Amino acid sequence: MTQAVLRTSPLSLADAARALAPVLARRACTAEIDRRLSSETMTDLFASRLLQYYVPARFGGLEMDWGAQITVGRYLAHTCGSTSWIGGVVGSHALYIARMSPQAQEDVWGNGPDVLVSTGSVMRNVTVDRKDGGYVLSGRWSFCSGVDHASWVLLRASPEGAHEQSYFLIPKSDLTIDDDWFVSAMSGSGSKSVILKDAFVPDYRILSMSGMMAANPPGAQIHSHYLYAGNFRPFSGSNLMGPILGAAESVLYEFQRLAEDSASGMNPQEVQWQLLFAEAAAEIGAAERLIDNMIEVQTRYGSVGQPLPKLERINLVRDRTFAARLCLNGSSRLMAALDASNVRSDAPIQRMYRDLTGMLQQIGVNWDRNMISCAKATLDFLTEVPELNAD
C-alpha cells in the first residue's frame, strides 16, 4: 500500500485540537470519574486525524516531522490533561511501530491508520521463553495508558540470555486488562495494568531496544523518513513535554478567566496580583522556549542521522527537566493565590493542576535524578541516565 505524503502542518493540528476544545471541556469531568476517555472522544480524535501524525503515509497516515506530538499534546491539554496524554504521548507510539518489521506494521495498520498502540512501563513477574519462531511471554505490566481503546500493546521484556530488553508487540486479544487505575491525577488516561498468560509472540513482532533506536531498523526497508529510518536516540524522552506545557498554560488561562469574573473575589487591579500573574506567565513562557529549542536541536541532528554530542544530550535532559519545573512553579504560584471557592474537586483549574502534578511524576522529568545526573555527566562521572554515559 502506498500513498503520497500529506503536507499537514503543526498549525493544522493545533487548529484541530482547538476545534475539539468545547466538547472535550464538557467531557473532562466525566473522563476523570470514569477513569478513561469516552468512545466519543476517541472517535473525535481519530476523525480529526490527531492520532495519525506519526503513522506512515504508506498506511494512510500523515507522516509528519518531529514535534507534531508536542503540538497535539499541548493544545489538547488546554481542556483535558488526560486527553492530551493519549493524543501527545500514546499517539506518538506509532513511531515505534513504524521502525519494526514491515509485517508487524501490516498487522497494525493493514486495515487503516486509526489504531491506538499502548505501552507498559513497569513489569512484574515476567517470563520470556523461547519457542520455535518466537517467544512465549507471561507477566504483568502497569501504566498502560489508553489501553481500553488500544488495539495493540507494546511491552518490554528481556528474552532468555539477552543482555538488553526487547519490544514485544501484542494484540489486545492476547491480554487481560486489570482495572486498577485509581489515582489522584490523570485519571482519564485509563493507565491500567495488563496481564499476559503464555502469549506467543512471533519473531517479526519483536525488536531489541538497540535495534529500535539505531539507524536502519527493520522499518527502513519500506520507509525513508528520518524518524522511521534514522538514528532514533536523539528523539527519545521528550514526548511528555507537550502535555506538561499545555497543562500549565491551562492553569494560567483559567486563572486569568477567574480573575476577570467579578464573582470570583479576585481583584486584578491590585499590583500584587499583577506581579503574581506576570511571573507565572514568564515561567511558563520560558518553558515553552526551552521546549522549542529542544525540538530544534533534536531535529537538526536527527534529520541528518548525526548522533548528538554529549554536551547536547546533557542539555536536552537538563532543559526538559527545568522546563517541567518552570511549569510547576508557575502553576503552583497561581494555585496558592486562589481562595476557598476553588477548592472543589470539580473546579476546572483544580483538575488541570492535579493532572499537571501527575504528569510531573514521570521519571523523564524527575528533578533530583535528572539534575544530579546532568551535573555528574558534565564532570564525566557515571550517571543514572543511560544516554548521558556514552561519549
Side-chain angles (χ1 to χ4, degrees):
M1 180 190 304
T2 60
Q3 182 168 324
V5 177
L6 297 172
R7 299 301 177 188
T8 301
S9 69
L11 181 60
S12 68
L13 293 179
D15 288 342
R18 289 192 191 99
L20 288 179
V23 67
L24 294 181
R26 290 195 297 271
R27 294 172 183 162
C29 283
T30 301
E32 186 173 51
I33 294 169
D34 292 346
R35 297 176 295 111
R36 56 180 284 178
L37 299 188
S38 67
S39 298
E40 292 79 9
T41 291
M42 294 304 302
T43 297
D44 289 339
L45 292 177
F46 281 125
S48 300
R49 310 200 74 179
L50 286 170
L51 294 171
Q52 290 186 15
Y53 47 90
Y54 287 148
V55 177
R58 180 185 184 92
F59 294 102
L62 299 177
E63 193 169 308
M64 295 181 67
D65 290 328
W66 183 247
Q69 86 284 23
I70 303 293
T71 298
V72 170
R74 176 185 180 185
Y75 287 96
L76 287 176
H78 289 171
T79 47
C80 179
S82 291
T83 303
S84 80
W85 197 259
I86 301 303
V89 177
V90 182
S92 69
H93 295 159
L95 278 176
Y96 293 90
I97 305 303
R99 297 177 67 84
M100 299 186 78
S101 71
Q103 189 174 355
Q105 295 182 53
E106 188 67 34
D107 285 355
V108 173
W109 293 313
N111 293 322
D114 290 341
V115 177
L116 190 72
V117 179
S118 183
T119 62
S121 58
V122 177
M123 55 185 142
R124 297 177 185 173
N125 303 320
V126 172
T127 61
V128 186
D129 300 312
R130 183 67 185 173
K131 185 176 182 179
D132 290 346
Y135 287 87
V136 174
L137 194 62
S138 296
R140 177 190 182 92
W141 288 259
S142 299
F143 299 99
C144 300
S145 298
V147 69
D148 287 306
H149 302 290
S151 301
W152 294 82
V153 179
L154 197 60
L155 303 174
R156 291 195 308 192
S158 298
E160 183 179 1
H163 298 293
E164 65 174 335
Q165 292 184 339
S166 291
Y167 289 92
F168 291 75
L169 181 61
I170 316 288
K172 185 177 179 179
S173 57
D174 283 0
L175 56 85
T176 300
I177 298 175
D178 183 2
D179 187 7
D180 60 352
W181 188 240
F182 297 91
V183 291
S184 60
M186 297 293 291
S187 177
S189 69
S191 303
K192 303 171 183 178
S193 297
V194 300
I195 299 170
L196 284 182
K197 179 63 175 177
D198 297 330
F200 177 72
V201 188
D203 286 328
Y204 76 87
R205 283 202 265 114
I206 303 170
L207 184 59
S208 67
M209 288 191 68
S210 59
M212 180 70 80
M213 295 296 169
N216 298 312
Q221 299 175 44
I222 57 174
H223 305 308
S224 60
H225 194 285
Y226 64 90
L227 289 176
Y228 311 141
N231 176 14
F232 192 62
R233 284 187 174 86
F235 302 102
S236 62
S238 55
N239 289 342
L240 60 162
M241 298 314 297
I244 288 173
L245 174 61
E249 289 176 326
S250 72
V251 172
L252 180 69
Y253 301 153
E254 181 64 12
F255 185 87
Q256 181 177 356
R257 187 194 69 78
L258 289 171
E260 294 169 348
D261 181 357
S262 59
S264 70
M266 293 188 192
N267 184 7
Q269 297 296 326
E270 293 180 354
V271 172
Q272 183 180 4
W273 184 96
Q274 294 165 1
L275 287 172
L276 172 80
F277 184 78
E279 189 168 2
E283 288 170 320
I284 296 169
E288 177 189 4
R289 283 152 184 79
L290 283 171
I291 293 168
D292 287 345
N293 182 72
M294 176 188 72
I295 296 170
E296 189 278 325
V297 170
Q298 291 170 312
T299 302
R300 178 165 21 107
Y301 284 93
S303 62
V304 295
Q306 291 185 0
L308 268 71
K310 185 174 182 178
L311 181 59
E312 291 286 13
R313 297 199 306 273
I314 294 171
N315 290 346
L316 285 178
V317 174
R318 179 201 66 196
D319 288 355
R320 78 176 183 230
T321 306
F322 192 66
R325 175 58 65 93
L326 287 171
C327 287
L328 176 63
N329 287 349
S331 300
S332 297
R333 191 183 312 282
L334 299 175
M335 295 300 294
L338 294 175
D339 62 21
S341 64
N342 287 286
V343 76
R344 292 176 57 88
S345 61
D346 60 353
I349 198 167
Q350 287 287 346
R351 185 190 67 255
M352 293 165 177
Y353 184 68
R354 287 197 303 274
D355 286 347
L356 173 62
T357 60
M359 295 171 188
L360 293 171
Q361 298 300 309
Q362 293 291 314
I363 194 170
V365 292
N366 181 276
W367 181 263
D368 291 344
R369 172 186 182 266
N370 291 347
M371 286 307 199
I372 291 171
S373 292
C374 286
K376 286 182 176 179
T378 303
L379 299 170
D380 290 326
F381 298 154
L382 191 65
T383 82
E384 295 182 19
V385 182
E387 62 263 34
L388 298 182
N389 292 327
D391 292 328

